[in-house]
Amino acid sequence: MEEDFNLVLVLLIYALPVLLALMAFVIGGLIERAHFKSIRTREAAFAHYPAVPTCSLDGDRVVGEARLVTASIVVSLDYFKRILAAFRNVFGGRVRSYESLLDRAKREAILRMKEQYPEADLIVNMRINTSQIGTTDGRKKGMGAVEVLATGTVVRYQS
Amino acid sequence: MILTNTETIPGLNIVEHYGLVSGNTVRAKNIGRDIAAGFKNLVGGELKGYTELLEDARNEATNRMIEQAAGMGANAIVNIRFSTSAVAQGAAELYVYGTAVKVG
């Protein structure tokens, strides 16, 4: 009887992280796919509204207004991808889970800048900063959450 | 107050420079947000609580910079830069700086 109980306990201890990882894999994957889909449709809507890192304006047009614009997003990996990234640390090489995380955060931050001024013509001097804002789970391991901040100067030409 | 992160303000002329202005704030996350973020951390994606926290903090730092510039008699700040750094466990510093100018 007691052995049975111990077996259940041992199973629970070992099965729980696996279950969590499985749950994170399914839900995290769904969230990421939905986010990428929304990013793609919104990017298509802003196709004629560029955000450029240079500071050049159309010479023949008069600037009506120029204002600072900032937008940010804090993102984190799901539990499953965090485990994958930790394994990647052993062998080295490309960490794809972080690549897609940062890609999606950067594109989202740029879109949020544009959404603040939907009537403007372009964003010049666009800069992107990525910073780690500490481990969210209180442990020292892992990258925790990452903040992506996009800044720029939004320009509207006189019509 | 006109703010830009370009060296000049497109469409306007700078007539006077007042020098560096800056604003900072150090914020710690609270436990309630931390627990919510802990759950969110499991499935990944945006941690909205943290996004809002940092956005609020950045606005506060920007307002401090604007107050400083207004005290100097400036009506615009150009070349604005932002920086975020984790200074301690669970606390982040948000620093904003730029050049206070007068545009005509």
Side-chain angles (χ1 to χ4, degrees):
Chain A
M1 190 65 202
E2 203 177 298
E3 269 180 18
D4 277 0
F5 180 72
N6 279 343
L7 193 70
V8 169
L9 203 70
V10 167
L11 267 180
L12 204 69
I13 289 169
Y14 285 102
L16 197 65
V18 176
L19 275 177
L20 280 179
L22 204 68
M23 195 192 88
F25 173 68
V26 173
I27 302 177
L30 282 175
I31 292 176
E32 185 174 65
R33 270 194 294 281
H35 193 197
F36 268 122
K37 200 179 160 205
S38 122
I39 287 175
R40 274 194 298 273
T41 51
R42 283 148 69 211
E43 274 180 350
F46 282 118
H48 301 289
Y49 183 170
V52 292
T54 52
C55 194
S56 52
L57 298 163
D58 293 358
D60 53 345
R61 298 182 74 178
V62 182
V63 174
E65 202 182 355
R67 290 282 179 276
L68 181 77
V69 60
T70 67
S72 68
I73 179 170
V74 178
V75 286
S76 81
L77 278 184
D78 64 54
Y79 184 61
F80 178 73
K81 283 190 165 181
R82 239 193 322 269
I83 294 172
L84 280 189
F87 273 114
R88 188 42 93 185
N89 253 338
V90 178
F91 305 107
R94 265 180 88 173
V95 191
R96 275 167 217 269
S97 39
Y98 275 119
E99 283 180 359
S100 72
L101 178 80
L102 292 170
D103 178 42
R104 125 194 198 211
K106 280 171 187 154
R107 285 160 75 178
E108 176 70 35
I110 293 170
L111 279 170
R112 284 184 184 177
M113 278 200 304
K114 294 178 180 177
E115 278 162 359
Q116 287 176 41
Y117 294 93
E119 263 91 63
D121 291 296
L122 81 162
I123 293 173
V124 294
N125 221 4
M126 201 254 306
R127 298 282 180 268
I128 289 182
N129 287 312
T130 309
S131 46
Q132 185 189 341
I133 62 154
T135 54
T136 47
D137 51 10
R139 274 173 285 166
K140 287 210 175 87
K141 271 172 74 182
M143 200 167 164
V146 183
E147 191 206 21
V148 171
L149 168 71
T151 57
T153 297
V154 63
V155 173
R156 195 173 46 76
Y157 291 120
Q158 258 170 26
S159 48
Chain B
M1 189 72 70
I2 301 168
L3 309 176
T4 70
N5 77 339
T6 49
E7 273 181 44
T8 55
I9 301 174
L12 292 170
N13 286 324
I14 293 170
V15 291
E16 202 172 341
H17 281 82
Y18 296 95
L20 181 77
V21 283
S22 63
N24 81 334
T25 177
V26 178
R27 289 284 181 98
K29 49 200 165 85
N30 72 41
I31 281 187
R33 273 188 166 137
D34 224 22
I35 291 169
F39 280 118
K40 194 73 218 290
N41 221 358
L42 205 59
V43 292
E46 181 178 8
L47 308 173
K48 286 211 174 69
Y50 286 171
T51 307
E52 283 163 21
L53 184 83
L54 288 173
E55 207 91 316
D56 285 352
R58 194 167 290 118
N59 284 341
E60 192 184 309
T62 309
N63 286 337
R64 285 184 187 168
M65 178 181 71
I66 291 172
E67 269 172 37
Q68 198 187 338
M72 288 171 165
N75 64 0
I77 305 170
V78 295
N79 233 342
I80 293 172
R81 300 282 181 265
F82 292 88
S83 84
T84 312
S85 40
V87 287
Q89 183 74 39
E93 189 206 25
L94 294 126
Y95 185 59
V96 192
Y97 56 102
T99 306
V101 295
K102 180 174 266 178
V103 290

